[in-house]
PDB file of all heavy atoms in Angstrom:
ATOM      1  N   ASP A1102     100.404  96.385 119.222  1.00 94.00           N
ATOM      2  CA  ASP A1102     101.511  95.477 118.984  1.00 94.00           C
ATOM      3  C   ASP A1102     101.015  94.077 118.645  1.00 94.00           C
ATOM      4  O   ASP A1102      99.823  93.765 118.795  1.00 94.00           O
ATOM      5  CB  ASP A1102     102.394  95.415 120.227  1.00 94.00           C
ATOM      6  CG  ASP A1102     103.110  96.714 120.504  1.00 94.00           C
ATOM      7  OD1 ASP A1102     103.019  97.633 119.664  1.00 94.00           O
ATOM      8  OD2 ASP A1102     103.748  96.806 121.566  1.00 94.00           O
ATOM      9  N   SER A1103     101.949  93.216 118.278  1.00 91.00           N
ATOM     10  CA  SER A1103     101.577  91.843 117.937  1.00 91.00           C
ATOM     11  C   SER A1103     101.072  91.071 119.152  1.00 91.00           C
ATOM     12  O   SER A1103     100.380  90.068 119.007  1.00 91.00           O
ATOM     13  CB  SER A1103     102.752  91.104 117.303  1.00 91.00           C
ATOM     14  OG  SER A1103     103.870  91.116 118.171  1.00 91.00           O
ATOM     15  N   ASP A1104     101.391  91.542 120.359  1.00 91.00           N
ATOM     16  CA  ASP A1104     100.898  90.852 121.561  1.00 91.00           C
ATOM     17  C   ASP A1104      99.641  91.519 122.121  1.00 91.00           C
ATOM     18  O   ASP A1104      99.151  91.140 123.185  1.00 91.00           O
ATOM     19  CB  ASP A1104     101.972  90.802 122.643  1.00 91.00           C
ATOM     20  CG  ASP A1104     102.284  92.168 123.243  1.00 91.00           C
ATOM     21  OD1 ASP A1104     101.838  93.186 122.682  1.00 91.00           O
ATOM     22  OD2 ASP A1104     102.982  92.215 124.272  1.00 91.00           O
ATOM     23  N   GLY A1105      99.117  92.514 121.426  1.00 93.00           N
ATOM     24  CA  GLY A1105      97.896  93.175 121.851  1.00 93.00           C
ATOM     25  C   GLY A1105      98.090  94.427 122.678  1.00 93.00           C
ATOM     26  O   GLY A1105      97.106  95.104 123.007  1.00 93.00           O
ATOM     27  N   SER A1106      99.330  94.766 123.013  1.00 94.00           N
ATOM     28  CA  SER A1106      99.592  96.000 123.755  1.00 94.00           C
ATOM     29  C   SER A1106      99.214  97.197 122.891  1.00 94.00           C
ATOM     30  O   SER A1106      99.434  97.188 121.681  1.00 94.00           O
ATOM     31  CB  SER A1106     101.062  96.092 124.136  1.00 94.00           C
ATOM     32  OG  SER A1106     101.448  94.992 124.921  1.00 94.00           O
ATOM     33  N   THR A1107      98.664  98.229 123.523  1.00 97.00           N
ATOM     34  CA  THR A1107      98.163  99.369 122.761  1.00 97.00           C
ATOM     35  C   THR A1107      98.808 100.678 123.204  1.00 97.00           C
ATOM     36  O   THR A1107      99.256 100.816 124.350  1.00 97.00           O
ATOM     37  CB  THR A1107      96.641  99.500 122.911  1.00 97.00           C
ATOM     38  OG1 THR A1107      96.315  99.619 124.307  1.00 97.00           O
ATOM     39  CG2 THR A1107      95.929  98.282 122.338  1.00 97.00           C
ATOM     40  N   THR A1108      98.840 101.622 122.274  1.00 96.00           N
ATOM     41  CA  THR A1108      99.360 102.964 122.529  1.00 96.00           C
ATOM     42  C   THR A1108      98.418 103.965 121.882  1.00 96.00           C
ATOM     43  O   THR A1108      97.967 103.737 120.751  1.00 96.00           O
ATOM     44  CB  THR A1108     100.773 103.137 121.928  1.00 96.00           C
ATOM     45  OG1 THR A1108     101.618 102.079 122.390  1.00 96.00           O
ATOM     46  CG2 THR A1108     101.369 104.472 122.350  1.00 96.00           C
ATOM     47  N   TYR A1109      98.147 105.063 122.574  1.00 97.00           N
ATOM     48  CA  TYR A1109      97.254 106.099 122.053  1.00 97.00           C
ATOM     49  C   TYR A1109      97.912 107.462 122.168  1.00 97.00           C
ATOM     50  O   TYR A1109      98.686 107.724 123.086  1.00 97.00           O
ATOM     51  CB  TYR A1109      95.941 106.129 122.838  1.00 97.00           C
ATOM     52  CG  TYR A1109      95.155 104.845 122.775  1.00 97.00           C
ATOM     53  CD1 TYR A1109      95.328 103.863 123.741  1.00 97.00           C
ATOM     54  CD2 TYR A1109      94.259 104.607 121.745  1.00 97.00           C
ATOM     55  CE1 TYR A1109      94.627 102.670 123.686  1.00 97.00           C
ATOM     56  CE2 TYR A1109      93.540 103.425 121.676  1.00 97.00           C
ATOM     57  CZ  TYR A1109      93.735 102.456 122.654  1.00 97.00           C
ATOM     58  OH  TYR A1109      93.040 101.275 122.583  1.00 97.00           O
ATOM     59  N   VAL A1110      97.559 108.349 121.266  1.00 97.00           N
ATOM     60  CA  VAL A1110      97.976 109.733 121.429  1.00 97.00           C
ATOM     61  C   VAL A1110      97.029 110.380 122.439  1.00 97.00           C
ATOM     62  O   VAL A1110      95.895 109.933 122.640  1.00 97.00           O
ATOM     63  CB  VAL A1110      97.955 110.503 120.095  1.00 97.00           C
ATOM     64  CG1 VAL A1110      98.941 109.880 119.130  1.00 97.00           C
ATOM     65  CG2 VAL A1110      96.559 110.549 119.489  1.00 97.00           C
ATOM     66  N   ASP A1111      97.495 111.435 123.080  1.00 97.00           N
ATOM     67  CA  ASP A1111      96.748 112.028 124.182  1.00 97.00           C
ATOM     68  C   ASP A1111      95.356 112.501 123.776  1.00 97.00           C
ATOM     69  O   ASP A1111      94.401 112.405 124.566  1.00 97.00           O
ATOM     70  CB  ASP A1111      97.529 113.209 124.765  1.00 97.00           C
ATOM     71  CG  ASP A1111      98.748 112.765 125.551  1.00 97.00           C
ATOM     72  OD1 ASP A1111      98.833 111.561 125.892  1.00 97.00           O
ATOM     73  OD2 ASP A1111      99.621 113.604 125.818  1.00 97.00           O
ATOM     74  N   SER A1112      95.211 112.998 122.566  1.00 96.00           N
ATOM     75  CA  SER A1112      93.944 113.595 122.155  1.00 96.00           C
ATOM     76  C   SER A1112      92.797 112.582 122.042  1.00 96.00           C
ATOM     77  O   SER A1112      91.629 112.979 122.005  1.00 96.00           O
ATOM     78  CB  SER A1112      94.106 114.325 120.826  1.00 96.00           C
ATOM     79  OG  SER A1112      94.524 113.434 119.821  1.00 96.00           O
ATOM     80  N   VAL A1113      93.112 111.286 121.988  1.00 98.00           N
ATOM     81  CA  VAL A1113      92.059 110.284 121.844  1.00 98.00           C
ATOM     82  C   VAL A1113      91.979 109.327 123.031  1.00 98.00           C
ATOM     83  O   VAL A1113      91.084 108.471 123.071  1.00 98.00           O
ATOM     84  CB  VAL A1113      92.217 109.468 120.540  1.00 98.00           C
ATOM     85  CG1 VAL A1113      92.332 110.385 119.331  1.00 98.00           C
ATOM     86  CG2 VAL A1113      93.417 108.527 120.615  1.00 98.00           C
ATOM     87  N   LYS A1114      92.879 109.445 123.975  1.00 97.00           N
ATOM     88  CA  LYS A1114      92.857 108.551 125.139  1.00 97.00           C
ATOM     89  C   LYS A1114      91.524 108.641 125.866  1.00 97.00           C
ATOM     90  O   LYS A1114      91.003 109.720 126.106  1.00 97.00           O
ATOM     91  CB  LYS A1114      93.999 108.910 126.095  1.00 97.00           C
ATOM     92  CG  LYS A1114      95.351 108.396 125.665  1.00 97.00           C
ATOM     93  CD  LYS A1114      96.433 108.761 126.678  1.00 97.00           C
ATOM     94  CE  LYS A1114      97.785 108.269 126.229  1.00 97.00           C
ATOM     95  NZ  LYS A1114      98.861 108.682 127.159  1.00 97.00           N
ATOM     96  N   GLY A1115      90.982 107.479 126.196  1.00 97.00           N
ATOM     97  CA  GLY A1115      89.704 107.430 126.892  1.00 97.00           C
ATOM     98  C   GLY A1115      88.507 107.489 125.968  1.00 97.00           C
ATOM     99  O   GLY A1115      87.372 107.249 126.407  1.00 97.00           O
ATOM    100  N   ARG A1116      88.726 107.805 124.691  1.00 98.00           N
ATOM    101  CA  ARG A1116      87.625 107.885 123.727  1.00 98.00           C
ATOM    102  C   ARG A1116      87.741 106.826 122.630  1.00 98.00           C
ATOM    103  O   ARG A1116      86.725 106.307 122.172  1.00 98.00           O
ATOM    104  CB  ARG A1116      87.586 109.278 123.084  1.00 98.00           C
ATOM    105  CG  ARG A1116      87.384 110.410 124.060  1.00 98.00           C
ATOM    106  CD  ARG A1116      87.121 111.733 123.334  1.00 98.00           C
ATOM    107  NE  ARG A1116      88.231 112.138 122.475  1.00 98.00           N
ATOM    108  CZ  ARG A1116      88.122 112.384 121.175  1.00 98.00           C
ATOM    109  NH1 ARG A1116      86.947 112.261 120.581  1.00 98.00           N
ATOM    110  NH2 ARG A1116      89.176 112.774 120.473  1.00 98.00           N
ATOM    111  N   PHE A1117      88.961 106.532 122.199  1.00 98.00           N
ATOM    112  CA  PHE A1117      89.182 105.584 121.114  1.00 98.00           C
ATOM    113  C   PHE A1117      89.791 104.294 121.665  1.00 98.00           C
ATOM    114  O   PHE A1117      90.571 104.326 122.622  1.00 98.00           O
ATOM    115  CB  PHE A1117      90.147 106.161 120.082  1.00 98.00           C
ATOM    116  CG  PHE A1117      89.602 107.305 119.264  1.00 98.00           C
ATOM    117  CD1 PHE A1117      88.412 107.931 119.587  1.00 98.00           C
ATOM    118  CD2 PHE A1117      90.298 107.745 118.149  1.00 98.00           C
ATOM    119  CE1 PHE A1117      87.911 108.980 118.834  1.00 98.00           C
ATOM    120  CE2 PHE A1117      89.825 108.791 117.376  1.00 98.00           C
ATOM    121  CZ  PHE A1117      88.635 109.423 117.725  1.00 98.00           C
ATOM    122  N   THR A1118      89.446 103.176 121.022  1.00 98.00           N
ATOM    123  CA  THR A1118      90.008 101.887 121.386  1.00 98.00           C
ATOM    124  C   THR A1118      90.421 101.129 120.129  1.00 98.00           C
ATOM    125  O   THR A1118      89.592 100.934 119.229  1.00 98.00           O
ATOM    126  CB  THR A1118      88.993 101.033 122.166  1.00 98.00           C
ATOM    127  OG1 THR A1118      88.561 101.739 123.340  1.00 98.00           O
ATOM    128  CG2 THR A1118      89.617  99.704 122.586  1.00 98.00           C
ATOM    129  N   ILE A1119      91.684 100.723 120.077  1.00 98.00           N
ATOM    130  CA  ILE A1119      92.168  99.912 118.963  1.00 98.00           C
ATOM    131  C   ILE A1119      92.182  98.454 119.398  1.00 98.00           C
ATOM    132  O   ILE A1119      92.510  98.142 120.547  1.00 98.00           O
ATOM    133  CB  ILE A1119      93.575 100.368 118.501  1.00 98.00           C
ATOM    134  CG1 ILE A1119      93.996  99.625 117.236  1.00 98.00           C
ATOM    135  CG2 ILE A1119      94.600 100.222 119.618  1.00 98.00           C
ATOM    136  CD1 ILE A1119      95.283 100.173 116.612  1.00 98.00           C
TER     137      ILE A1119
END
Side-chain angles (χ1 to χ4, degrees):
D1102 293 354
S1103 57
D1104 69 348
S1106 301
T1107 57
T1108 307
Y1109 299 92
V1110 298
D1111 288 345
S1112 60
V1113 307
K1114 282 181 181 177
R1116 300 190 299 123
F1117 290 11
T1118 303
I1119 187 172

